[in-house]
Amino acid sequence: MSQDLHAALVAEPDNPEAKALLHQRSVTVEKLLSPLPTRKERFSVEIWREIALYLPRHDLKALLFIPHIVSRVASRILFRKLDLHFGGIDAEAGKSEFWTHHYGEFEAAKDEDARHAQRSADILTRIIVDPEFAGAVRTLRIYAPIRMLTNAIPNLINLRNVHISAGAEDIVPVLRVLQTTTPRLRGLSLHSPDGPSDLQFDFRNLAHFSYTTSGGSTNNVQTFLAQNRDFLRTVYIDNPHWAFPTNSVSIRNLTHFHFTGHVPMNNQIFADILANGRQLESLTLSCSLDGATSQQFRTSPHAYGIALPFLRHFAFSVTGVHRRVVDRDLFAAIADLLRGRQQLRSLVLTAHDENVQRAVGLDAAVW
């Protein structure tokens, strides 16, 4: 058709119909070749962010590959919480018992550790060179810290929660940097399998504190808890050899309390919880007992009013009892305390073995 139009114009240059058709065709081709107009976004970045906040992490990761503003939104939400692995404690423990694994499995584990370490090193580099990325991080979980980490932490200006899983000696340098650079830290979680770390640090605004360790004494943790006594809302202590430092924590301020440890003879931890745990929503106790404690749960309700009025989740486990302890009313007393509470969402009552079950009265009669 284009050749016919040109032939008609050569024969008759002023042919109006040929001129009109040729112009119309050129305009159509120009439209096809021109770039698509930029569409105005239907939703603002703020609205996309509110939508993305409801998505699980695997969906957020999928959004990273979409050429749209929502990809950037998903990236900022995903990296609010960072996990850094540098051949963690579990990996190190596994290497000392390589004979328990097949060679192929051991090599695969080493490759996986190396992949995590490389990824973590890349993230640390970006934290150091990209202030915008570093400013988005709110929660940092560290497994087996390395020296480079202390150079990156000062850039995390909006960091609020930190978990460190490492040996006692490796935890101290990280805490030293956090004390200086992150005074507004709200949550601190420590996992030190080889013994308690030195906690002589000045963190005075913690709302959430978790400490998992073994052996040692409670002296350091008592001082640390005491300086945050008025702010703590969540406390998680896990050391089977420790008695809970009741005087260092204000039970009345707590909403979530988890304690794994030891209850000495005549210790009144349960009575203290019932009397003062007015705001507790979640209570988990896993203890070895040196004496009878059922009477603490049988104390007249008038002494406490309604004990634990906002409790939603309760777990109580007896891991062991002194060989002379016989307290068959313990679990019955707990069951009577909680019976009829319609707001209770979960309940777990356990004892370590049959001998412990008989000693503390955990049987079908409890229900």
Side-chain angles (χ1 to χ4, degrees):
M1 180 177 178
S2 176
Q3 293 177 350
D4 294 340
L5 289 174
H6 281 287
L9 287 173
V10 170
E12 188 181 350
D14 295 328
N15 188 318
E17 293 182 358
K19 282 184 175 182
L21 287 172
L22 189 61
H23 175 72
Q24 181 179 358
R25 183 178 183 280
S26 64
V27 170
T28 302
V29 172
E30 184 178 350
K31 286 183 177 179
L32 288 173
L33 296 178
S34 62
L36 292 174
T38 303
R39 291 191 308 170
K40 186 177 181 180
E41 287 290 341
R42 287 186 177 183
F43 299 138
S44 66
V45 174
E46 291 75 15
I47 293 178
W48 280 120
R49 181 179 179 278
E50 290 300 316
I51 294 172
L53 285 173
Y54 287 92
L55 298 178
R57 288 184 69 84
H58 64 83
D59 286 342
L60 290 172
K61 291 178 181 178
L63 291 178
L64 295 177
F65 301 98
I66 297 178
H68 187 273
I69 187 62
V70 73
S71 173
R72 187 175 181 84
V73 171
S75 174
R76 291 183 67 86
I77 294 176
L78 274 173
F79 291 113
R80 289 181 61 172
K81 181 178 181 180
L82 285 183
D83 286 0
L84 301 179
H85 296 258
F86 299 99
I89 293 174
D90 292 339
E92 294 296 326
K95 292 177 183 178
S96 65
E97 298 179 358
F98 66 91
W99 52 271
T100 63
H101 306 281
H102 295 294
Y103 180 77
E105 293 177 353
F106 182 60
E107 289 300 311
K110 288 204 303 183
D111 291 343
E112 186 72 5
D113 287 347
R115 186 178 69 83
H116 280 303
Q118 182 59 54
R119 169 189 168 275
S120 299
D122 293 341
I123 291 175
L124 280 183
T125 301
R126 186 171 178 186
I127 289 173
I128 293 173
V129 303
D130 187 347
E132 184 179 357
F133 175 82
V137 178
R138 299 294 188 275
T139 298
L140 182 64
R141 299 195 300 184
I142 307 161
Y143 301 88
I146 60 173
R147 185 171 300 175
M148 181 182 175
L149 185 63
T150 58
N151 298 325
I153 288 178
N155 290 10
L156 303 175
I157 57 176
N158 293 312
L159 189 63
R160 294 294 177 269
N161 303 287
V162 174
H163 169 79
I164 309 172
S165 181
E169 293 183 357
D170 292 325
I171 288 177
V172 172
V174 180
L175 291 180
R176 187 175 295 119
V177 176
L178 287 171
Q179 176 183 244
T180 305
T181 62
T182 318
R184 295 183 295 171
L185 198 67
R186 299 293 290 162
L188 179 62
S189 172
L190 305 175
H191 180 204
S192 176
D194 59 349
S197 299
D198 180 10
L199 293 180
Q200 300 302 314
F201 296 96
D202 189 17
F203 294 96
R204 294 185 177 274
N205 298 292
L206 292 178
H208 314 285
F209 179 66
S210 172
Y211 196 19
T212 301
T213 186
S214 59
S217 70
T218 60
N219 293 338
N220 281 342
V221 75
Q222 283 182 1
T223 304
F224 193 84
L225 289 170
Q227 69 186 17
N228 291 280
R229 179 185 175 93
D230 295 333
F231 303 99
L232 283 171
R233 298 295 178 267
T234 301
V235 171
Y236 184 112
I237 301 293
D238 189 336
N239 186 321
H241 307 289
W242 284 356
F244 186 74
T246 306
N247 295 331
S248 301
V249 176
S250 177
I251 299 292
R252 68 183 61 190
N253 292 334
L254 299 183
T255 59
H256 295 74
F257 180 35
H258 176 113
F259 174 61
T260 296
H262 176 63
V263 179
M265 178 77 73
N266 299 322
N267 185 284
Q268 296 294 305
I269 181 175
F270 304 137
D272 189 20
I273 292 172
L274 294 177
N276 298 304
R278 306 293 297 173
Q279 299 188 66
L280 279 173
E281 299 174 15
S282 176
L283 176 60
T284 300
L285 302 168
S286 180
C287 310
S288 59
L289 307 175
D290 272 358
T293 56
S294 59
Q295 191 56 39
Q296 296 183 44
F297 293 96
R298 289 291 189 192
T299 301
S300 171
H302 299 293
Y304 307 137
I306 300 176
L308 312 177
F310 297 106
L311 191 64
R312 300 292 181 271
H313 306 280
F314 180 82
F316 189 90
S317 176
V318 179
T319 58
V321 295
H322 191 278
R323 57 188 177 83
R324 288 177 292 184
V325 171
V326 177
D327 189 13
R328 295 192 177 93
D329 189 44
L330 176 57
F331 276 88
I334 295 173
D336 289 343
L337 177 71
L338 301 175
R339 187 170 284 114
R341 297 190 180 221
Q342 297 183 358
Q343 76 277 16
L344 199 63
R345 296 290 177 264
S346 65
L347 173 63
V348 179
L349 300 176
T350 60
H352 181 66
D353 56 35
E354 291 186 7
N355 292 332
V356 176
Q357 290 173 14
R358 285 194 295 268
V360 296
L362 180 60
D363 54 32
V366 168
W367 311 106

